[in-house]
Amino acid sequence: MDEIIYKGNKIVCFSSKDFQAFIINKDGEVESDTFTTLPTAQKWIDKYGTKITCSEEV
């Protein structure tokens, strides 16, 4: 199992044809979906995800 961070969102690769992507949607809720290719998961993130950036807590 590999994990990829794409535009601040996580994609988990279980096999060469099994990917699960996680996003924070516009309502601030976590959503996930499964895909058979990495490019399809990335396109879903591009369409529905919000760009997540890291910030340091004080």
Side-chain angles (χ1 to χ4, degrees):
M1 177 175 76
D2 292 321
E3 293 182 0
I4 301 165
I5 302 299
Y6 176 73
K7 295 186 177 180
N9 298 277
K10 185 180 281 191
I11 301 173
V12 179
C13 174
F14 296 102
S15 72
S16 63
K17 294 190 182 213
D18 187 11
F19 299 86
Q20 185 168 9
F22 298 86
I23 62 166
I24 303 294
N25 66 21
K26 65 181 180 176
D27 297 324
E29 299 172 340
V30 175
E31 285 188 43
S32 70
D33 204 346
T34 56
F35 305 91
T36 57
T37 67
L38 179 58
T40 306
Q42 291 170 323
K43 286 179 185 177
W44 182 74
I45 288 173
D46 291 340
K47 186 172 183 179
Y48 297 107
T50 56
K51 182 162 180 165
I52 299 169
T53 57
C54 295
S55 61
E56 187 174 322
E57 258 186 58
V58 181

